Amino acid sequence: MADTLSSLLQEIHSIPTPEILSAKLNDIRSRINTILSAHSSQVNYYKNHTARELNRKLYTFGLADSIIGDYDSGFRPK
């Protein structure tokens, strides 16, 4: 089954600890790039859903330093 942004969104949402997210972060970013390279029409879904959830998790888990410009979907923690 091919990776999709919606399945990746669910996977990110279900990550239970900062350690697991940190360990998976490079893989997640690579998969996002692969999906967006193959389906450029998915950029809006990515920005509004997948990237927002990834950035929310990074911030919530104290990994805000891992939020990079390429993945900043407009999520702005207060």
Side-chain angles (χ1 to χ4, degrees):
M1 185 168 124
D3 236 352
T4 65
L5 290 174
S6 61
S7 66
L8 192 52
L9 170 67
Q10 293 303 315
E11 183 180 330
I12 293 166
H13 181 71
S14 70
I15 293 174
T17 67
E19 295 79 18
I20 292 172
L21 179 56
S22 187
K24 289 185 168 198
L25 192 54
N26 286 335
D27 178 60
I28 289 169
R29 287 183 173 150
S30 175
R31 291 164 60 196
I32 287 169
N33 286 333
T34 299
I35 293 166
L36 291 178
S37 292
H39 306 284
S40 61
S41 63
Q42 294 289 306
V43 169
N44 283 336
Y45 184 91
Y46 160 73
K47 287 180 181 178
N48 294 319
H49 301 286
T50 310
R52 196 170 287 265
E53 178 63 9
L54 177 57
N55 291 340
R56 184 191 71 76
K57 276 284 195 176
L58 288 167
Y59 179 76
T60 300
F61 285 162
L63 302 170
D65 289 346
S66 296
I67 297 174
I68 58 174
D70 291 351
Y71 294 90
D72 185 352
S73 65
F75 172 79
R76 300 284 189 266
K78 296 190 187 269

